[in-house]
Amino acid sequence: MKVSYHWLKELTGLDWPVEEMAERLTLCGTACEDIVSTSRYLDRVVVGEVLELHPVPGADKIRRAVTAIGSENLDIICGAPNVAAGQKVPVALIGAKLDSGFEVKKVKIKGVTSCGMICSQAELGISDDHSGIWVLDDDATVGKPLAECLDYDDYILDFELTPDRADSMSAIGIARDLAALASVKIRYPSFDLEESAESAADHIQVSIADEEACPRFTARIIRDVTIGPSPWWLQKKLLSCGMRPISNVVDITNLVMLETGNPVHAFDLDRFGSDEVLVRRAVEGEKMTTLDGKEHTLTPDVLLITNGKEGKAAAGVMGGEDSEVSSETRNILLEVAYFSPSVIRKSRRHLGIISEASSRFEKGVDPNNVPGASARVAHLFHDVCGGSVLKGVVDCYPKRIDPVTVSFRPDRCNKVLGTDIRPERMKQIFADLEFEVDGSDPMKVTAPTFRHDINLEIDLIEEVARVEGYDSIPDAQENIGPLFTPTHEEDVFEDEVRRMMTGAGFDEMISHGLVHSRQAAIIDSGLPYLKIVNPVSEDLDMMRNSLVHTGLIAVNHNVAHRNMDLRLFEIGKAYFPPDPDGLWLEDNRLMILVTGNSPASWRNASRPFDFYDVTGAIESMGEHFGWPSLRFEAETAPYYEEEVSFSIRCGDTEIGTIGQITETILKKFDIKQPVHIAELKISDLIKLSRDLSEFEPLPIYPAAPRDLALVVNETVQVGQVLERIRSVAGDMAETVDVFDYYKGKQIAEGMKSVGIAIVFRLKHRSLASQEIDKVQLDIIEMLQREFKAEIRTK
Amino acid sequence: MSLLDDVANLRREAVEKIKGADSADTLGRIKVRYLGRKGLLTAILRGLKDLPDDQRKAVGARANQIRAELEQQIAEAVTGLSTEKSASAFDPTLPGTAQQIGAMHIVSQVMNEICQTFYGMGFEIARGPDVETDYYNFESLNFPPDHPARDMQDTFFVEGGRLLRTHTTPVQTRELERRNPPIKIIAPGKTFRNEEISTRAHVAFHQVDGFLVDEGVTMSDLKGTLVAFCRAFFGEDTKLKFRPSFFPFTEPSAEVDITCFLCKGKGCQLCKFSGWLEILGCGMIHPNVLTTGGYDPEKYTGWAFGMGVERVAMLKYKINDIRLFFNNNIRFLRQFV
Ligand SMILES: [Zn+2]
């Protein structure tokens, strides 16, 4: 919403500097986002008179205009088709800076030197009209600075309004806030309406078929108007509110809408086609062409202004083409009405039109200012367009809308705000806002019908707060609330995982969680996806059901940017459609992925990241959180390579999956290097985690380390070997670890060599070496028997 | 004592110190102390003009001689020091071989920091589902059906009649339902908006909501708490500006600006030369919301606020493109190690 600074000054009589006005309005809830000077591009622009026009040899689109600017005559090259000798025009002199940052310079075109520029309104930032040069009034004084000549030294204030404040969509509405802040009265535009003896009611009848949709409709008739351009004072007011002047009749309807907030529509009475107005819902399939030339097929969602037979306007949204005011119009049917906000909202949605009128109606205009706005328009039609106003307004108001009275307790107000504002001051604020106040405790406050947002006591409390200023509410110095704040195990767990994973060299990624169905098809795991009904683009039309998917998107993005070496993790949700029982599952997960090579240093050579970098990360977390030992069980998942595809198990629980992404999938993500991923369920991980239950005394008896080197078939799983050694050694083995692992030269094809370090120690006594030898023999025997191992004991 | 004695003492003292010096730094300081522009020897030379002619010559000659001698000794000592050091074969300047550590996502970091600050003020963390019902996301928060206020939040709807929450405020209703006052909650999480992806908008972002419900809670408490938070988070000298605004679920509502932490309010590119940065929205919980949550608004009052995590991070680190948060380019992620 744009309003001019001068207009607000005119309505309030306040002469605050523009910045102060903007700031104080902002601090009372009418946020001023921008202040633009109307004369910002009028420096070094003067009134000129085109004396002669000469052709430019070799160029037929441009002419040389000899232009008087008072002190001298300038040669100016002009390409506008509407330039003519005798016109008064705006001339930008050398050095003038115009809209879009253009600076006027002396230039030579086809051998002719041009010493200035004749401008359009758009070039001067006056409006968006760039159809031709701006032809000024004949009485403009040649040589005078344009800004002075136009008396156009104003500011356009651009307000960002909140949806509840429909009343601020007008100059008077914004002025009312100013008036309340300064405790002054609004200077409403006053006028005497001259009406002819003939009565409007004899020439037009109004009936309303849907009173809920149209609680009030007024009609007036104005005869013998002369259509033409508006006078400059009127144009200026529209321009300074960011609106483009069209013709006097249209400009007046716009002006009154900007002034009062009540949208106004003028029909060409002679093209309206009857002497009756019927407001009704459209019939399914009914057709109408709006004045923007678009034909619409209607439904009952659209409310129509009809002439009893056919639609002449989509009520509150846009007029119809066939009754539009044109340059030939002589007689006018003037409509000012009040329509139900929700009806207009549905209607403009169906029509796909957002107009100045619809955006006001759908927020709610003042039903009781409808006759006032009508009279104001009629007065201007008479004054400006020379029309004669028929006597009276035909006012059809079947559903009276009365102001709401709200009970207000001053003490409650101070209790909610934490303030100490005196009740008299509150009363004053209401009076300044044009509310009526009765009684003192509670006050009975009646808000006028332009304030649809006042219905509850809290609405009045807000009025007090915003007019008094939020600054006047003290900042409390004490903290209130419970003594103790508990933490939640999920939060603590996730936080610890983040710290451990980053400590282990993994970077945390976060996905938005929306995915493409095209990509979803690539890594189809057979699980259902939650589909988005109204995707912003076809690209993101479902929610991920696995973090593997978004992990691969991140790898794809990184390798495309030549970041080849990645260790990433994400904590986030996988989403699913409701199950048959109607339960909605959002599963919080931890995804870990590696690809590329480890960082090289002067001490350690780089090596490819692989499966064990993922399991290593999981196992160290397992140690920290006290998870029982994990098992990897071969299990085919559609997106893992068959050889390297496992479920991760802990006891009986499957806590996730791990594997190497198939080459087919990688190819589709443009990834040319192996990717290993694990995905774990956070809720299961939390269940498995446990605190240390009891401290273990430090060992007092000596340890006996023994190493075993064995060669086994490469299909033997080392994990099982370790497990069996632990079970044979029983409580004698303190630790059993792998210290060497080798395949290749010196080892027979199909075999592998494994070095195992066992530390023997008992907690309660020392071990004799014979005992250890005995167990070691048992272990060797077991390894030979169960794993066909060839032992190379040191 | 004559001036000549002074000069001799000065020399002895300086020579001793040069011998004892074990670093180039110390030698540098010795040079300044004796030979510098305001050095002790220089001071003596300056004072010569007040002496009788004969004395001036003798002392002057001696002082200049000492000056030359000290300069040479210091130069020799410096060379001596450096040759001695390079004799060692141990090189401590090789890069250490610690494991490279990873970066927590900047959104996690900022969100944690916000939550920790509020935790310190007694707020408990609560979370809710990302896929919400219309009731929790809108209806219970005083958004009437088909109300223009719903247009403020472009919503993704999913099959099955639910939607992706447009804010973390639904957590408020959920917690009101299952707790008893005093309720003091901070609700961080992911939220979604149906918007075209651009440098300034994305389909998802993170939000932190906070709210307090109890008897006698006032707007003054709200202001005090947010002032305390902003000072803790953005710096002790941060000032706040509360501007009236509109949210369906709070009244009175406010938009909060803080003094630009870059220019301290003087005006700069970051704050678009206004000196202020818009940082959060807040207000007193609307009586309708309390009633819906099962509370008597005559007895209980409360306040709530919400802020965008990416927005805070973008301001704090001058990040100019919101898409960077979800691209997961490690060159971005690793800047916040
Ligand atoms: Zn700044």
Side-chain angles (χ1 to χ4, degrees):
Chain A
M1 174 73 198
K2 290 178 176 142
V3 179
S4 101
Y5 170 58
H6 280 311
W7 203 355
L8 292 176
K9 290 212 297 191
E10 184 185 310
L11 285 166
T12 56
L14 295 170
D15 60 352
W16 294 349
V18 64
E19 291 81 11
E20 186 186 344
M21 194 178 272
E23 176 74 0
R24 291 185 67 171
L25 279 170
T26 300
L27 288 178
C28 92
T30 307
C32 181
E33 299 279 294
D34 204 8
I35 304 173
V36 176
S37 157
T38 52
S39 55
R40 66 202 183 284
Y41 301 121
L42 298 186
D43 257 3
R44 301 190 57 76
V45 180
V46 298
V47 177
E49 182 175 0
V50 181
L51 301 175
E52 297 157 24
L53 279 172
H54 300 285
V56 176
D60 50 1
K61 291 247 166 61
I62 53 173
R63 280 175 287 176
R64 176 168 62 91
V66 180
T67 310
I69 56 161
S71 51
E72 57 180 318
N73 292 350
L74 301 176
D75 269 350
I76 299 174
I77 297 291
C78 183
N82 68 326
V83 65
Q87 283 173 342
K88 299 277 176 69
V89 291
V91 175
L93 304 176
I94 309 286
K97 288 195 178 69
L98 303 182
D99 197 10
S100 73
F102 179 79
E103 188 180 332
V104 178
K105 293 195 175 96
K106 190 182 267 193
V107 286
K108 211 165 198 180
I109 302 167
K110 298 277 177 191
V112 181
T113 306
S114 182
C115 298
M117 188 169 150
I118 302 176
C119 301
S120 67
Q121 286 198 342
E123 281 155 346
L124 298 175
I126 299 288
S127 78
D128 57 0
D129 186 353
H130 49 75
S131 59
I133 57 153
W134 183 12
V135 182
L136 304 172
D137 282 350
D138 284 342
D139 58 5
T141 312
V142 172
K144 224 181 185 185
L146 185 67
E148 196 184 312
C149 174
L150 297 173
D151 186 21
Y152 197 43
D153 205 1
D154 202 348
Y155 296 93
I156 302 175
L157 303 184
D158 194 353
F159 295 97
E160 168 97 17
L161 302 175
T162 54
D164 58 324
R165 291 292 304 279
D167 63 298
S168 305
M169 294 185 81
S170 67
I172 288 176
I174 289 174
R176 281 194 187 110
D177 267 2
L178 274 179
L181 288 174
S183 237
V184 297
K185 293 252 176 296
I186 293 277
R187 302 172 174 187
Y188 288 101
S190 65
F191 53 89
D192 295 317
L193 182 59
E194 270 180 52
E195 294 178 318
S196 61
E198 215 175 332
S199 168
D202 294 341
H203 296 274
I204 194 85
Q205 272 140 38
V206 176
S207 48
I208 298 170
D210 188 336
E211 297 173 353
E212 293 294 332
C214 177
R216 187 171 205 178
F217 190 101
T218 66
R220 271 185 187 276
I221 290 176
I222 299 94
R223 289 242 167 95
D224 300 321
V225 296
T226 309
I227 306 279
S230 296
W232 172 243
W233 70 262
L234 207 169
Q235 293 201 18
K236 200 163 62 173
K237 252 184 180 153
L238 292 187
L239 288 169
S240 63
C241 295
M243 209 176 250
R244 192 165 149 183
I246 295 161
S247 70
N248 48 11
V249 166
V250 178
D251 293 351
I252 287 166
T253 59
N254 281 332
L255 178 81
V256 173
M257 178 184 67
L258 290 174
E259 186 175 85
T260 63
N262 288 95
V264 169
H265 187 67
F267 295 94
D268 185 325
L269 180 61
D270 303 314
R271 297 165 76 196
F272 191 70
S274 86
D275 54 5
E276 69 164 307
V277 172
L278 171 64
V279 187
R280 63 160 169 85
R281 299 261 183 185
V283 178
E284 190 75 48
E286 192 172 353
K287 290 199 162 43
M288 198 192 77
T289 305
T290 41
L291 54 79
D292 56 1
K294 291 201 180 89
E295 193 190 38
H296 302 270
T297 305
L298 310 176
T299 69
D301 273 351
V302 178
L303 188 69
L304 285 181
I305 314 293
T306 74
N307 61 1
K309 296 179 283 290
E310 54 195 7
K312 293 289 157 190
V317 182
M318 192 174 273
E321 193 178 44
D322 61 4
S323 59
E324 189 187 357
V325 169
S326 70
S327 53
E328 270 86 64
T329 300
R330 299 281 298 155
N331 302 311
I332 286 174
L333 168 61
L334 172 65
E335 166 213 323
V336 186
Y338 175 78
F339 303 111
S340 142
S342 64
V343 169
I344 298 307
R345 195 169 150 78
K346 278 209 189 83
S347 173
R348 67 103 174 132
R349 271 193 188 158
H350 175 83
L351 296 166
I353 297 171
I354 295 178
S355 62
E356 293 281 345
S358 74
S359 46
R360 285 175 175 78
F361 277 123
E362 75 170 285
K363 289 191 177 117
V365 304
D366 183 2
N368 295 323
N369 191 47
V370 164
S374 175
R376 174 87 173 130
V377 177
H379 160 73
L380 289 169
F381 279 175
H382 172 77
D383 263 24
V384 176
C385 320
S388 83
V389 180
L390 263 55
K391 194 176 162 59
V393 57
V394 180
D395 187 357
C396 193
Y397 196 5
K399 294 284 277 189
R400 251 206 90 74
I401 295 168
D402 288 315
V404 176
T405 299
V406 180
S407 182
F408 175 85
R409 294 161 294 171
D411 180 48
R412 170 76 181 170
C413 178
N414 278 325
K415 271 197 178 131
V416 169
L417 299 178
T419 49
D420 201 10
I421 304 168
R422 287 173 303 110
E424 301 82 66
R425 172 64 188 139
M426 297 179 188
K427 210 171 226 175
Q428 176 69 45
I429 287 172
F430 294 141
D432 289 343
L433 287 164
E434 300 184 24
F435 296 4
E436 275 171 36
V437 186
D438 226 21
S440 56
D441 196 11
M443 299 179 196
K444 296 286 177 196
V445 182
T446 306
T449 42
F450 54 77
R451 290 299 301 269
H452 295 271
D453 57 322
I454 307 290
N455 298 295
L456 304 169
E457 186 179 41
I458 193 73
D459 301 328
L460 292 171
I461 294 175
E462 183 179 51
E463 293 302 300
V464 170
R466 71 179 187 90
V467 174
E468 189 68 0
Y470 285 2
D471 266 0
S472 63
I473 301 170
D475 303 337
Q477 298 299 313
E478 282 153 33
N479 197 359
I480 46 175
L483 277 175
F484 167 72
T485 313
T487 54
H488 297 285
E489 57 178 0
E490 305 86 42
D491 298 325
V492 176
F493 179 81
E494 286 178 15
D495 206 45
E496 276 184 67
V497 167
R498 281 196 183 93
R499 283 177 209 290
M500 295 198 65
M501 289 302 295
T502 52
F506 288 75
D507 295 318
E508 186 189 13
M509 57 171 277
I510 294 182
S511 312
H512 49 71
L514 279 68
V515 294
H516 311 187
S517 46
R518 253 179 304 109
Q519 280 182 338
I522 303 173
I523 38 176
D524 184 18
S525 59
L527 292 170
Y529 280 92
L530 179 63
K531 293 185 195 68
I532 293 170
V533 178
N534 59 334
V536 60
S537 68
E538 276 171 32
D539 271 356
L540 299 172
D541 54 1
M542 40 178 59
M543 304 298 289
R544 67 176 172 194
N545 64 8
S546 150
L547 274 60
V548 172
H549 191 148
T550 37
L552 290 176
I553 292 173
V555 175
N556 161 283
H557 179 85
N558 274 290
V559 298
H561 289 81
R562 308 300 302 157
N563 305 327
M564 311 307 284
D565 306 320
L566 307 169
R567 276 178 293 178
L568 296 171
F569 75 100
E570 177 173 13
I571 294 172
K573 285 170 174 177
Y575 305 86
F576 298 93
D579 68 9
D581 297 329
L583 280 175
W584 292 73
L585 178 64
E586 281 174 24
D587 199 18
N588 212 14
R589 299 193 177 169
L590 166 64
M591 186 278 305
I592 303 172
L593 80 77
V594 294
T595 187
N597 295 303
S598 70
S601 76
W602 55 273
R603 182 174 280 170
N604 300 315
S606 175
R607 59 166 182 83
F609 284 131
D610 62 18
F611 186 85
Y612 306 103
D613 291 295
V614 180
T615 53
I618 299 171
E619 280 159 358
S620 7
M621 278 191 290
E623 198 176 343
H624 171 77
F625 290 112
W627 301 336
S629 61
L630 304 174
R631 282 177 294 125
F632 301 102
E633 288 186 6
E635 199 170 289
T636 352
Y639 41 85
Y640 292 144
E641 293 287 4
E642 208 176 313
E643 283 277 282
V644 194
S645 174
F646 304 93
S647 68
I648 308 173
R649 287 178 175 276
C650 197
D652 293 335
T653 329
E654 184 189 323
I655 59 166
T657 66
I658 182 169
Q660 180 178 353
I661 301 294
T662 68
E663 225 168 295
T664 334
I665 289 174
L666 291 182
K667 206 173 276 171
K668 288 182 177 151
F669 279 90
D670 287 324
I671 302 166
K672 298 185 181 71
Q673 57 192 35
V675 176
H676 289 87
I677 290 194
E679 190 182 25
L680 302 141
K681 293 181 189 166
I682 300 247
S683 55
D684 288 332
L685 297 179
I686 292 174
K687 268 182 229 143
L688 292 171
S689 303
R690 48 170 197 257
D691 288 335
L692 185 62
S693 52
E694 199 181 324
F695 135 88
E696 191 170 290
L698 302 183
I700 44 174
Y701 299 100
R706 297 285 170 94
D707 290 349
L708 285 175
L710 45 142
V711 174
V712 289
N713 192 293
E714 64 180 7
T715 58
V716 167
Q717 304 274 293
V718 174
Q720 282 169 18
V721 172
L722 299 181
E723 207 173 300
R724 287 294 294 133
I725 293 174
R726 283 192 196 102
S727 98
V728 171
D731 59 359
M732 280 173 66
E734 191 180 54
T735 58
V736 182
D737 278 314
V738 177
F739 70 86
D740 185 43
Y741 183 85
Y742 181 73
K743 275 196 257 189
K745 263 185 248 167
Q746 294 155 18
I747 303 292
E749 179 80 15
M751 305 294 279
K752 60 186 174 187
S753 149
V754 185
I756 294 172
I758 310 173
V759 176
F760 292 100
R761 171 161 29 205
L762 276 176
K763 284 177 192 162
H764 54 283
R765 64 175 175 83
S766 51
L767 280 165
S769 65
Q770 303 95 299
E771 280 178 283
I772 298 168
D773 292 344
K774 163 94 178 35
V775 180
Q776 192 172 342
L777 273 178
D778 289 348
I779 290 171
I780 289 169
E781 217 178 80
M782 177 276 293
L783 291 173
Q784 286 166 333
R785 193 176 60 241
E786 295 179 16
F787 299 102
K788 308 279 179 290
E790 180 194 326
I791 310 294
R792 301 167 164 184
T793 314
K794 277 190 197 164
Chain B
M1 259 213 293
S2 79
L3 254 178
L4 270 175
D5 288 336
D6 284 353
V7 175
N9 281 340
L10 214 60
R11 177 188 166 275
R12 200 175 313 116
E13 197 184 298
V15 168
E16 242 165 64
K17 282 199 171 147
I18 293 168
K19 272 189 195 140
D22 58 355
S23 77
D25 251 19
T26 319
L27 287 167
R29 276 198 295 278
I30 294 170
K31 192 169 178 178
V32 172
R33 180 173 162 79
Y34 293 95
L35 310 177
R37 242 170 6 93
K38 291 181 183 161
L40 296 172
L41 195 63
T42 321
I44 291 176
L45 282 169
R46 285 224 178 98
L48 288 181
K49 61 179 186 317
D50 303 331
L51 291 181
D53 254 11
D54 55 332
Q55 278 193 39
R56 188 166 68 213
K57 269 190 189 146
V59 178
R62 182 65 185 138
N64 274 325
Q65 193 185 352
I66 290 172
R67 183 180 187 91
E69 183 193 352
L70 290 179
E71 265 170 4
Q72 193 187 342
Q73 282 198 19
I74 288 171
E76 276 167 9
V78 170
T79 337
L81 270 177
S82 54
T83 44
E84 219 169 279
K85 278 287 174 212
S86 70
S88 165
F90 183 77
D91 182 359
T93 62
L94 272 171
T97 54
Q99 157 86 291
Q100 180 190 62
I101 64 162
M104 212 183 275
H105 198 288
I106 186 58
V107 165
S108 293
Q109 293 188 35
V110 172
M111 201 142 78
N112 277 356
E113 204 185 328
I114 295 171
C115 290
Q116 277 309 308
T117 310
F118 279 103
Y119 181 80
M121 294 193 269
F123 287 78
E124 185 179 337
I125 295 177
R127 296 172 193 271
D130 293 0
V131 181
E132 264 295 2
T133 61
D134 181 90
Y135 176 78
Y136 286 112
N137 196 75
F138 289 124
E139 199 187 326
S140 69
L141 296 173
N142 200 33
F143 287 81
D146 202 41
H147 191 268
R150 290 192 182 205
D151 282 357
M152 291 163 79
Q153 313 200 339
D154 298 308
T155 312
F156 278 121
F157 296 95
V158 298
E159 56 180 332
R162 295 205 176 176
L163 49 83
L164 303 183
R165 66 175 174 189
T166 57
H167 46 188
T168 54
T169 324
V171 175
Q172 189 180 308
T173 312
R174 289 178 175 275
E175 296 304 318
L176 285 180
E177 278 175 1
R178 62 182 204 92
R179 288 172 189 263
N180 290 310
I183 305 173
K184 207 171 174 183
I185 297 286
I186 190 95
K190 198 185 278 180
T191 61
F192 304 83
R193 296 278 167 97
N194 192 341
E195 290 190 48
E196 289 289 343
I197 298 171
S198 70
T199 54
R200 309 199 54 82
H202 212 294
V203 292
F205 62 94
H206 293 78
Q207 198 183 342
V208 176
D209 246 54
F211 59 95
L212 166 62
V213 174
D214 202 358
E215 289 180 47
V217 173
T218 71
M219 192 144 174
S220 171
D221 299 319
L222 167 64
K223 287 187 72 188
T225 306
L226 291 179
V227 167
F229 165 75
C230 288
R231 293 207 173 133
F233 196 82
F234 297 107
E236 221 16 77
D237 50 358
T238 306
K239 288 189 191 64
L240 279 72
K241 181 158 88 179
F242 288 75
R243 288 181 287 112
S245 187
F246 170 80
F247 307 107
F249 39 95
T250 53
E251 187 166 10
S253 303
E255 211 90 61
V256 178
D257 297 341
I258 57 165
T259 38
C260 176
F261 40 73
L262 202 63
C263 65
K264 303 288 172 206
K266 286 192 213 67
C268 69
Q269 201 93 46
L270 181 71
C271 56
K272 299 196 190 84
F273 302 96
S274 69
W276 296 95
L277 298 169
E278 189 178 322
I279 216 76
L280 57 84
C282 65
M284 298 301 292
I285 297 177
H286 198 285
N288 292 355
V289 174
L290 290 170
T291 308
T292 309
Y295 295 78
D296 176 4
E298 281 293 308
K299 186 167 178 206
Y300 294 103
T301 46
W303 52 251
F305 70 86
M307 72 181 111
V309 178
E310 280 84 356
R311 176 169 171 76
V312 171
M314 284 173 93
L315 289 173
K316 199 164 176 177
Y317 299 101
K318 287 182 257 166
I319 300 165
N320 54 10
D321 187 343
I322 197 171
R323 293 171 297 188
L324 288 166
F325 291 101
F326 294 118
N327 282 345
N328 295 309
N329 187 319
I330 53 163
R331 287 180 202 281
F332 174 76
L333 300 178
R334 295 198 54 78
Q335 290 184 35
F336 304 99
V337 162

